[in-house]
């Protein structure tokens, strides 16, 4: 009888040890590999909506044009979610009248945007009637998909790579009940 009781207690401790280790691994993964964030504001509509829950990661990440990223903006002293329009060494031109964005002379296919223009005038070239930005080394140029309601690189300037918290991998809970899925 004593052996059965001791064995039951040993099995219980083994089970508890497994549960504690699993919880520890989950905490480590979500601390160092993945993070979760919630969308605040309307700057990424119609791609992301208020209260959408996102999974992000920075593990082995190199910023790329088109990625949606979470940024700890030192200028705004706030966390923002934006799309990378251009990376270091690329030239951005924005025609305010047509809302056309070009990177290195190529027009971006931006079927996801809402826009009628909102730009910092110091980058305006009166001769060509476009806004021109040249992205410096170690930085990227970001914009919200809802261009009329986005405080982004047009206002805050270039975003240093080290301010990027991570790239959005997918939405796991939609604030607007549109479902779960990968964010393009």
């Amino acid at each position: 009888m004593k052996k059965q009781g001791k064995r039951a207690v040993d099995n219980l401790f083994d089970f508890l040890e497994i549960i504690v280790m699993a919880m520890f691994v989950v905490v480590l993964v979500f601390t160092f590999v993945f993070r979760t964030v919630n969308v605040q504001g309307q700057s990424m509509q119609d791609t992301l909506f208020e209260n959408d829950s996102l999974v992000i990661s920075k593990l082995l990440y190199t910023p790329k044009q088109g990625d949606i990223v979470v940024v700890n903006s030192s200028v705004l002293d706030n966390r923002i979610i934006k799309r990378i329009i251009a990376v270091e060494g690329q030239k951005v031109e924005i025609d305010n009248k047509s809302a056309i964005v070009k990177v290195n002379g190529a027009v971006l296919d931006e079927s996801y945007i809402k826009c009628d223009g909102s730009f910092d005038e110091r980058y305006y070239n009166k001769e060509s009637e476009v806004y021109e930005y040249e992205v410096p080394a170690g930085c990227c140029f970001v914009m919200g998909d809802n261009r009329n309601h986005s405080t982004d690189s047009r206002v805050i300037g270039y975003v240093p790579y080290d301010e990027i918290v991570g790239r959005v991998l997918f939405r796991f809970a939609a604030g607007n009940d549109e479902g779960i899925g990968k964010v393009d």
Side-chain angles (χ1 to χ4, degrees), residues 19-71:
I19 296 236
V20 168
M21 288 301 280
M23 288 175 25
F24 180 71
V25 168
V26 167
V27 167
L28 281 177
V29 166
F30 276 93
T31 300
F32 297 107
V33 180
F34 300 108
R35 288 186 175 171
T36 60
V37 296
N38 288 325
V39 176
Q40 301 299 314
Q42 56 186 343
S43 73
M44 286 300 293
Q45 287 178 357
D46 284 337
T47 305
L48 301 173
F49 294 87
E50 181 88 24
N51 298 320
D52 281 356
S53 296
L54 311 171
V55 172
I56 65 170
S57 179
K58 192 173 181 178
L59 185 66
L60 305 173
Y61 177 64
T62 302
K64 290 186 295 270
Q65 184 179 10
D67 287 348
I68 298 174
V69 293
V70 176
V71 175

Side-chain angles (χ1 to χ4, degrees), residues 83-125:
R83 187 180 300 271
I84 295 177
I85 299 300
V87 294
E88 62 186 358
Q90 292 184 311
K91 184 178 179 183
V92 178
E93 294 178 20
I94 304 171
D95 185 326
N96 195 35
K97 292 177 187 165
S98 66
I100 291 175
V101 178
K102 294 180 182 179
V103 176
N104 291 341
V107 175
L108 293 184
D109 176 15
E110 296 187 299
S111 57
Y112 48 79
I113 70 164
K114 291 181 175 183
C115 183
D116 71 7
S118 173
F119 306 95
D120 184 333
E121 293 294 321
R122 65 188 149 161
Y123 295 99
Y124 186 67
N125 181 327

Side-chain angles (χ1 to χ4, degrees), residues 49-53 171-181:
F49 294 87
E50 181 88 24
N51 298 320
D52 281 356
S53 296
R171 175 177 52 207
F172 69 90
N176 66 345
D177 296 327
E178 284 196 11
I180 299 170

Side-chain angles (χ1 to χ4, degrees), residues 148-161:
N148 299 332
H149 300 283
S150 181
T151 303
D152 49 39
S153 288
R154 296 170 296 168
V155 177
I156 65 171
Y158 309 107
V159 172
Y161 289 158

Side-chain angles (χ1 to χ4, degrees), residues 66-86:
D67 287 348
I68 298 174
V69 293
V70 176
V71 175
N72 270 336
S73 172
S74 60
V75 174
L76 298 173
D77 195 28
N78 198 7
R79 187 172 282 182
I80 59 175
I81 301 173
K82 304 293 176 196
R83 187 180 300 271
I84 295 177
I85 299 300

